[in-house]
């Protein structure tokens, strides 16, 4: 039987389809441009190869096209007669995920990997910040992600994709030096891995290497197609660093060209969360943000995510609605939060409402309570700095400057001295 790059048997007798499949999987794992087309080429070469359709479904799912994902997975299921047990499990997992059954899907991932640890497409569902562990809403999810990637180490060795994921889990649990050497190894093997460049950027951020970081990432982005999945989010990273360096012109340039709604082809989850985040961090740093910009992102949130569902999306939507003055949309999130982190979503949404109304003490109390376990809300440490800095602002507005400085020194020591909040 033919095998994929990870030595898993695959049910196609066409060597060409196999080669195309290996290429398509690599494109998905590295966040390369044209991954949808790559899986379509597999299906065109061997229309009966179930995993080709499953991969297409997964590619549609990660780029936010759920109807197309469901259709492709339906096709994969219909072609399941005679495929291996691993392939059937692989298809079943993607099908669970596209139907929104994340906790059940994660259970299936763990069981599946116990017998098929080198099914990288399945491992990928849970190995990164935007994955089943990252968005679980459960306490201890950063440690769990490190435990997850660590458990796969013996099976992946020097694989560039695996190393990039392992490095991210090290970075997010504070092991920055170790993460740095692991990502260097990964990028030496595959320098065009956009997820690797992303992890490299997070490591620079966590090390406080602003100037090195921004020059690295700007350089890396030069050869990265703007239609690819990570282009918008990597542009957000550049904008964030530009803001930190006081270069607001460059920050706005990046936001307008590659982050905000209509400027990027990235997944809607990134468009909303990155735009809301950079606008508010700009305000915190002392920049004036016109209300029209808030209305634009608030409208986008209402259009793309009309109902609460995922805490990471919902709290950014709440921020946008609060700043845009859309009380109805904000109330919808406060009154009906969803998921395992719903308790925190409600509090953060109320806090942003209080901030918009300049009720700093109320916002301080709500945010203080959330910060005990804000990782449950989802997102990287760099993304959750939005919440850290919002709390600092509440303290500063009440004249509690020393408390704000102490809090930053305890919680985010690497950012002491950076002008992240005006007046600090
Ligand atoms: Fe990031």
């Amino acid at each position: 039987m033919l095998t994929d790059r990870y030595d898993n048997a695959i049910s196609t007798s066409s060597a060409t389809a196999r080669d195309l499949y290996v290429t398509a999987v690599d494109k998905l794992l590295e966040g390369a441009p044209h991954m949808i087309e790559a899986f379509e080429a597999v299906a065109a070469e061997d229309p009966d190869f179930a995993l080709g359709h499953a991969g297409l479904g997964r590619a549609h799912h990660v780029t936010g096209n759920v109807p197309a994902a469901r259709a492709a997975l339906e096709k994969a299921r219909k072609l399941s007669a005679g495929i291996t047990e691993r392939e059937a499990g692989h298809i079943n997992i993607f099908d669970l995920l596209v139907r929104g059954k994340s906790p059940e899907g994660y259970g299936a991932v763990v069981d599946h990997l116990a017998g098929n640890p080198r099914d990288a497409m399945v491992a990928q569902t849970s190995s990164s910040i935007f994955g089943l562990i990252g968005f679980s809403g459960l306490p201890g999810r950063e440690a769990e992600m490190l435990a997850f990637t660590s458990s796969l180490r013996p099976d992946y060795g020097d694989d560039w994709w695996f190393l990039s994921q392992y490095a991210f889990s090290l970075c997010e649990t504070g092991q920055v030096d170790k993460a740095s050497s692991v990502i260097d190894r990964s990028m030496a093997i595959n320098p065009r891995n956009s997820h690797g460049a992303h992890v490299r950027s997070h490591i620079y951020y966590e090390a406080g290497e602003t100037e090195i970081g921004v020059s690295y990432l700007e350089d890396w982005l030069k050869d990265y197609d703007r239609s690819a999945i990570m282009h918008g989010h990597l542009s957000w990273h550049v904008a964030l660093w530009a803001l930190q360096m006081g270069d607001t012109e460059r920050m706005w340039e990046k936001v307008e060209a590659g982050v905000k709604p209509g400027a990027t082809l990235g997944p809607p989850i990134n468009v909303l969360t990155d735009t809301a985040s950079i606008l508010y961090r700009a305000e915190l740093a002392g920049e004036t943000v016109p209300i029209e910009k808030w209305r634009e992102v608030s409208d986008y949130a209402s259009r793309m995510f009309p109902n609460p569902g995922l805490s990471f999306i919902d709290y950014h939507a709440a921020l946008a609605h609060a700043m845009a003055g859309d009380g109805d949309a904000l109330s919808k999130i406060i009154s009906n939060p969803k998921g395992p982190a719903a308790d925190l979503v409600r509090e953060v949404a109320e806090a942003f409402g209080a901030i918009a109304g300049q009720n700093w003490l109320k916002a301080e109390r709500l945010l203080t309570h959330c910060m005990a376990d804000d990782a449950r809300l989802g997102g990287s440490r760099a993304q959750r700095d939005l919440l850290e800095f919002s709390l600092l602002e509440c303290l500063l507005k009440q004249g509690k400057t020393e408390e704000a400085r102490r809090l930053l020194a305890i919680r985010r020591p690497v950012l002491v001295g950076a002008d992240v909040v005006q007046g600090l």
Side-chain angles (χ1 to χ4, degrees):
M1 229 174 159
L2 293 170
T3 56
D4 66 14
R5 186 167 73 76
Y6 290 97
D7 315 314
N8 301 296
I10 50 175
S11 298
T12 178
S13 53
S14 159
T16 307
R18 187 271 308 272
D19 293 347
L20 290 169
Y21 181 72
V22 166
T23 300
V25 169
D26 277 353
K27 277 182 185 284
L28 186 138
L29 295 179
E30 68 179 34
H34 313 302
M35 60 184 171
I36 304 273
E37 292 89 331
F39 279 107
E40 283 172 346
V42 180
E45 177 63 27
D46 182 356
D48 297 329
F49 177 29
L51 244 52
H53 297 282
L56 178 61
R58 179 66 184 157
H60 278 306
H61 196 190
V62 298
T63 47
N65 188 347
V66 173
R70 285 186 177 159
L73 281 155
E74 183 57 33
K75 217 167 216 176
R77 288 181 77 86
K78 284 185 179 153
L79 293 166
S80 290
I83 64 175
T84 66
E85 205 178 319
R86 180 202 62 99
E87 290 171 301
H90 175 113
I91 293 167
N92 180 50
I93 286 164
F94 292 164
D95 193 51
L96 285 170
L97 301 189
V98 84
R99 286 188 288 121
K101 298 186 183 267
S102 299
E104 201 179 333
Y106 180 53
V109 166
V110 172
D111 288 348
H112 182 86
L113 292 175
N116 307 281
R118 281 175 63 79
D119 194 333
M121 288 276 283
V122 166
Q124 189 270 346
T125 62
S126 308
S127 62
S128 72
I129 301 287
F130 278 21
L132 296 176
I133 298 172
F135 283 152
S136 69
L138 298 175
R141 59 101 178 162
E142 288 173 310
E144 189 177 349
M145 201 162 88
L146 178 59
F148 179 85
T149 56
S150 299
S151 74
L152 295 172
R153 275 185 77 192
D155 298 294
Y156 282 85
D158 221 17
D159 179 72
W160 57 264
W161 167 77
F162 170 75
L163 291 174
S164 69
Q165 305 299 288
Y166 178 48
F168 211 174
S169 57
L170 287 167
C171 172
E172 294 296 294
T173 46
Q175 300 185 59
V176 176
D177 289 345
K178 193 171 175 187
S180 189
S181 60
V182 174
I183 200 62
D184 283 350
R185 177 68 193 140
S186 168
M187 293 304 277
I189 304 166
N190 181 0
R192 294 318 301 162
N193 174 13
S194 71
H195 296 297
H198 180 220
V199 174
R200 176 74 267 176
S201 302
H202 273 274
I203 295 168
Y204 281 137
Y205 183 93
E206 293 301 326
E209 298 278 14
T210 303
E211 281 171 31
I212 295 175
V214 79
S215 110
Y216 163 79
L217 190 52
E218 286 266 47
D219 191 50
W220 193 90
L221 274 168
K222 278 179 196 156
D223 298 320
Y224 189 53
D225 193 296
R226 53 177 293 109
S227 71
I229 188 167
M230 289 299 287
H231 193 276
H233 184 64
L234 293 174
S235 300
W236 173 82
H237 274 275
V238 173
L240 198 60
W241 270 324
L243 177 68
Q244 226 165 293
M245 291 162 71
D247 190 348
T248 50
E249 199 177 316
R250 190 175 179 187
M251 179 209 71
W252 284 120
E253 216 177 82
K254 282 284 158 192
V255 173
E256 294 296 319
V259 178
K260 69 170 199 176
T264 169
L265 300 167
I269 181 174
N270 287 124
V271 178
L272 165 61
T273 59
D274 288 339
T275 308
S277 168
I278 193 70
L279 292 185
Y280 200 58
R281 286 180 70 160
E283 282 203 6
L284 290 170
E287 185 75 0
T288 302
V289 176
I291 184 102
E292 294 72 37
K293 290 193 187 293
W294 280 116
R295 288 200 185 114
E296 185 183 33
V297 63
S298 166
D299 289 347
Y300 182 82
S302 295
R303 197 168 65 248
M304 302 305 291
F305 304 102
N307 299 305
L310 185 68
S311 55
F312 183 68
I313 290 173
D314 297 338
Y315 88 75
H316 284 89
L319 168 64
H321 299 324
M323 295 303 134
D326 189 339
D328 290 345
L330 181 62
S331 298
K332 199 171 170 183
I333 295 172
I334 293 171
S335 60
N336 190 27
K338 288 275 168 29
D343 53 326
L344 298 185
V345 171
R346 176 178 286 125
E347 287 182 335
V348 173
E350 283 185 342
F352 285 134
I355 286 172
Q358 303 197 357
N359 189 342
W360 305 109
L361 181 60
K362 181 182 176 186
E364 177 203 326
R365 286 178 177 158
L366 286 161
L367 287 174
T368 301
H369 187 254
C370 291
M371 298 318 276
D373 200 359
D374 63 304
R376 286 179 52 218
L377 284 160
S380 63
R381 290 185 169 203
Q383 285 170 317
R384 297 197 318 275
D385 277 343
L386 172 76
L387 299 171
E388 300 280 350
F389 302 164
S390 297
L391 176 54
L392 298 184
E393 184 197 32
C394 294
L395 294 170
L396 292 169
K397 291 285 187 189
Q398 298 173 80
K400 301 174 184 174
T401 310
E402 277 316 305
E403 198 180 330
R405 286 180 184 154
R406 196 163 50 241
L407 199 62
L408 183 66
I410 292 169
R411 292 182 60 94
R412 297 297 274 149
V414 70
L415 294 163
V416 170
D419 289 328
V420 288
V421 185
Q422 195 178 35
L424 196 63

